[in-house]
Amino acid sequence: MSDVVAALRQTVASLHAELTRYGLVAWTAGNVSARVPGEELLVIKPSGVSYDDLSPANMIVCDLDGVVVEGDLSPSSDTAAHAYVYRAMPEVGGVVHTHSTYATAWAARGEAIPCHLTAQADEFGGEIPVGPFALIGGDDIGKGIVATLSGHRSPAVLMRNHGVFTIGKDARAAVKAAVMCEDVARTAHLARALGQPLPMAQADVDSLYDRYQNVYGQPGRQLSAD
């Protein structure tokens, strides 16, 4: 188990660089976590530590109640929300939180992002929904994430007046969903600024989602781009 945790520490630390690479976070905001397979544990970044200073050694291991098991620093202030998602959604292996600019602007309006793009149909299977407002620190955010995404195709939720949370089969998939959510949010904003975006038929959305999730790409390899 120590080897598995060590590998996840490396993975989670490295994936935070993707958040800065794609401009999804500012200063020390945002976080990535990963479930430890077969254990009631998660790995998450420490609270308030610069992205430049993140390393496998300072990642924090917590149980699924958010209690620190390994690590000398305090875990992310969103740990309770991540932990709740893992407890409630056993299929989830990774959770990401960002305040990416365009997606968070939709969250500030409390408005779901309607599906007007083939790329959104591919990745999200329809609209990107809005979750309820909740204060940081407890598991109310986690409850809102689970209530909104349970039974929903979208791996992303816009938590009202807060930001974006994404889920995935592993941490990398959750990071990809966060990147794609911001890309869709930016394009949807620009389209609306130019006029009224054209609707897509639900049958077309369903067909695109099925193709992307089940046919697109190379067998045995993760989806990564068009």
Side-chain angles (χ1 to χ4, degrees):
M1 181 48 59
S2 60
D3 290 343
V4 173
V5 171
L8 279 178
R9 283 176 179 270
Q10 177 67 60
T11 296
V12 172
S14 297
L15 284 172
H16 282 88
E18 298 298 295
L19 303 188
T20 58
R21 175 186 176 194
Y22 286 97
L24 304 186
V25 294
W27 205 243
T28 62
N31 38 71
V32 178
S33 74
R35 183 196 295 271
V36 179
E39 300 291 329
E40 298 292 297
L41 299 172
L42 64 92
V43 177
I44 196 166
K45 86 173 189 60
S47 178
V49 175
S50 168
Y51 280 81
D52 291 338
D53 295 329
L54 295 181
S55 70
N58 61 23
M59 294 298 103
I60 310 300
V61 181
C62 297
D63 66 20
L64 295 193
D65 290 315
V67 177
V68 174
V69 174
E70 293 180 10
D72 298 325
L73 302 173
S74 298
S76 166
S77 58
D78 292 304
T79 298
H82 289 239
Y84 185 91
V85 172
Y86 290 127
R87 292 198 307 272
M89 305 179 83
E91 71 278 12
V92 171
V95 178
V96 171
H97 172 47
T98 79
H99 299 155
S100 60
T101 303
Y102 285 89
T104 300
W106 287 83
R109 294 201 302 264
E111 185 176 356
I113 303 175
C115 188
H116 297 302
L117 300 165
T118 59
Q120 184 172 343
D122 287 345
E123 186 72 29
F124 301 96
E127 72 170 19
I128 299 175
V130 173
F133 174 77
L135 293 174
I136 301 168
D139 59 12
D140 285 347
I141 291 175
K143 291 176 181 178
I145 295 167
V146 170
T148 306
L149 293 185
S150 292
H152 204 291
R153 286 173 172 174
S154 175
V157 56
L158 313 175
M159 294 301 286
R160 187 169 65 83
N161 300 108
H162 186 175
V164 181
F165 281 85
T166 60
I167 58 175
K169 65 179 183 180
D170 54 28
R172 182 175 178 80
V175 169
K176 182 198 172 191
V179 172
M180 297 303 293
C181 179
E182 179 64 4
D183 185 64
V184 164
R186 180 172 55 249
T187 305
H189 168 79
L190 293 172
R192 182 174 287 185
L194 291 169
Q196 181 57 47
L198 298 176
M200 293 179 66
Q202 185 61 49
D204 291 335
V205 172
D206 293 343
S207 177
L208 288 161
Y209 181 75
D210 179 70
R211 178 201 68 92
Y212 190 70
Q213 299 297 323
N214 300 308
V215 178
Y216 172 81
Q218 301 302 314
R221 298 184 65 181
Q222 291 182 327
L223 300 176
S224 59
D226 285 346

